[in-house]
Amino acid sequence: MGPPDDGEVWLSLTEAALVLRLSRVRVGQLVRAGRIPATKQGRRWWIRRLHAETLSASRAAQATPQRQLPQGASGRDRDEKPVVI
């Protein structure tokens, strides 16, 4: 069986795994745990492309940590003078 025929674009677990940069097995685990919305047709799971892309974007935003400097560090060398524009 194929994906639902409702005008949406659906991805298989393998395709969703590529979008999410996760393994197919991990995407299946997340789907079964209810952490990724999906629908089952026959024996196959299908994920809306919009959901996969939204989740991928939020994961990317969370994966970009802010660089933290040690306490008391200003981020520039002592001899470096500030640039005034």
Side-chain angles (χ1 to χ4, degrees):
M1 294 194 73
D5 187 21
D6 63 355
E8 294 283 333
V9 177
W10 293 85
L11 304 176
S12 66
L13 289 184
T14 302
E15 293 165 334
L18 291 171
V19 170
L20 296 169
R21 296 181 182 195
L22 296 171
S23 72
R24 182 188 179 287
V25 171
R26 182 64 179 144
V27 172
Q29 291 171 342
L30 294 170
V31 165
R32 285 186 291 284
R35 300 198 51 211
I36 297 177
T39 188
K40 193 170 186 180
Q41 295 280 78
R43 296 179 65 188
R44 297 185 69 187
W45 285 99
W46 296 94
I47 300 168
R48 281 189 174 95
R49 183 179 72 182
L50 179 62
H51 290 162
E53 289 174 348
T54 302
L55 182 58
S56 177
S58 73
R59 284 174 36 89
Q62 291 173 359
T64 310
Q66 296 294 324
R67 182 174 161 229
Q68 294 188 2
L69 299 172
Q71 191 171 15
S74 67
R76 60 178 184 229
D77 295 333
R78 285 182 176 242
D79 297 334
E80 184 181 328
K81 301 217 187 245
V83 177
V84 179
I85 298 177

